[in-house]
DNA sequence: GGCAGACCACAATA
DNA sequence: ATATTGTGGTCTGC
């Protein structure tokens, strides 16, 4: 029963690649239309269709092992303003922000999303970091995906489900460059590669508006410890 | 009038 | 040595 659902899901996902004409790559540019310097960012605005996206959102919301991590800052402990989960190849461990981590092993749903993503991005990923932004009170502030275990010029593939959230990027050094922004909508795929992480930061700003949850999957190739 | 954004203050870690 | 993290406050401007 569950396997049938998954098989049907995988089939649907496979066919969508050929059938969905909206599944096209758009290169992100500066607000004035000029190319982003020192960055390669591509978005597929309808990588998954609406129906698939809604199904996958519910499935992930219910079945992923979401964790509430905490961090200490200025002498106070805070819950991170988001829930996270790590999944990856079995038997591998790695360090994330200096903390040794054992990823949970891939679920069928994650594997079908991973496979479809890999076919388009043409990279084989070995792990995924999932973020759950429960409301407008959740977000993540300016940072780069520059963990050492991601290596130089990492390819990061970010799939979004649920409520759309603003995704902003700014150049680390050249403050004359305008901030740029893209809406990460239900079913979209954003790819960052090349030197993007060396020269740019990104964030998901919090918002005072009432927003429904968003789930984000960032597929990565990490150097495993073992 | 609600929201976004730009400030600021607040340590400890790499 | 420098950049980072999240919260919460104030202030401005749309
Ligand atoms: Mn990131």
């Amino acid at each position: 029963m569950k396997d049938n659902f998954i098989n049907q899901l995988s089939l649907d996902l496979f066919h969508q690649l050929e059938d969905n004409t909206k599944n096209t790559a758009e290169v992100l540019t500066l607000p004035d239309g000029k190319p982003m310097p020192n960055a390669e960012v591509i978005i597929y605005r309808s990588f998954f269709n609406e129906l698939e996206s809604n199904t996958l959102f519910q499935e992930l919301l219910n079945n992923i092992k979401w964790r509430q991590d905490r961090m200490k800052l200025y002498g106070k402990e805070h819950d991170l303003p988001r829930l996270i989960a790590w999944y990856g190849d079995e038997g591998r461990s790695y360090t994330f922000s200096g903390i040794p981590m054992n990823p949970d092993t891939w679920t069928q749903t994650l594997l079908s999303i991973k496979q479809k993503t890999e076919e388009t991005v043409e990279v084989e990923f070995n792990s995924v970091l999932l973020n759950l932004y429960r409301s407008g009170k959740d977000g993540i502030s300016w940072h780069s995906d520059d963990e050492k275990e991601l290596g130089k010029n990492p390819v990061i593939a970010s799939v979004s489900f649920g409520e759309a959230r603003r995704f902003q990027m700014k150049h680390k050094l050249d403050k004359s460059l305008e901030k740029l922004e893209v809406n990460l909508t239900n079913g979209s795929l954003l790819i960052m590669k090349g030197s993007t992480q060396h020269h740019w930061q990104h964030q998901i700003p919090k918002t005072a508006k009432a927003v429904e949850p968003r789930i984000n999957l960032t597929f990565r190739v990490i150097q495993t410890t073992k």
Side-chain angles (χ1 to χ4, degrees):
Chain A
M1 162 79 168
K2 177 145 190 183
D3 282 351
N4 282 343
F5 167 77
I6 295 297
N7 288 341
Q8 190 57 49
L9 195 59
S10 303
L11 263 170
D12 289 347
L13 301 188
F14 184 76
H15 289 308
Q16 196 229 345
L17 260 185
E18 302 155 306
D19 297 342
N20 187 350
T21 53
K22 285 165 86 180
N23 182 20
T24 53
E26 257 177 78
V27 177
L28 285 202
T29 62
L30 298 175
D32 63 9
K34 292 183 181 139
M36 287 175 77
N38 319 113
E40 295 175 54
V41 187
I42 297 155
I43 186 166
Y44 294 75
R45 294 181 194 271
S46 300
F47 188 59
F48 291 93
N49 70 38
E50 195 84 11
L51 185 61
E52 290 165 337
S53 299
N54 295 342
T55 306
L56 289 167
F57 173 79
Q58 285 302 331
E59 154 74 14
L60 295 168
L61 186 65
N62 295 329
N63 297 324
I64 289 296
K65 290 191 213 165
W66 297 107
R67 277 209 322 263
Q68 174 69 76
D69 277 11
R70 293 173 70 76
M71 80 164 313
K72 201 173 179 182
L73 190 64
Y74 289 96
K76 281 182 195 153
E77 277 238 328
H78 301 281
D79 285 343
L80 291 189
R82 58 194 167 272
L83 303 185
I84 68 166
W86 274 100
Y87 287 75
D89 291 355
E90 193 168 8
R92 303 280 190 81
S93 63
Y94 48 89
T95 59
F96 178 65
S97 302
I99 304 162
M101 302 277 308
N102 284 315
D104 285 305
T105 52
W106 297 105
T107 67
Q108 282 306 308
T109 301
L110 287 176
L111 282 175
S112 46
I113 300 169
K114 174 167 114 82
Q115 185 187 333
K116 179 175 160 73
T117 305
E118 287 174 335
E119 284 168 3
T120 290
V121 183
E122 296 180 319
V123 169
E124 287 199 16
F125 297 105
N126 62 10
S127 73
V128 63
L129 169 65
L130 294 100
N131 293 281
L132 171 56
Y133 301 95
R134 296 158 290 184
S135 73
K137 291 193 177 72
D138 280 352
I140 188 166
S141 53
W142 293 114
H143 71 283
S144 302
D145 295 347
D146 55 3
E147 298 286 343
K148 218 167 61 182
E149 49 278 2
L150 293 176
K152 196 181 153 99
N153 294 345
V155 177
I156 311 274
S158 166
V159 176
S160 298
F161 297 117
E163 179 83 72
R165 293 291 295 266
R166 304 162 70 200
F167 178 84
Q168 301 176 326
M169 299 188 73
K170 73 172 179 189
H171 199 275
K172 288 188 193 177
L173 297 179
D174 190 344
K175 294 182 81 183
S176 73
L177 291 174
E178 271 186 276
K179 198 162 68 179
L180 69 98
E181 178 167 327
V182 60
N183 228 19
L184 293 185
T185 53
N186 192 21
S188 63
L189 165 67
L190 180 93
I191 303 162
M192 294 184 280
K193 56 185 179 177
S195 59
T196 306
Q197 304 303 329
H198 293 286
H199 299 284
W200 292 75
Q201 293 183 314
H202 53 274
Q203 74 167 351
I204 302 285
K206 297 182 177 187
T207 174
K209 289 185 210 160
V211 290
E212 293 298 307
R214 162 176 182 257
I215 289 173
N216 179 51
L217 302 85
T218 53
F219 291 96
R220 301 130 179 270
V221 180
I222 52 174
Q223 294 166 357
T224 50
T225 314
K226 177 172 94 162

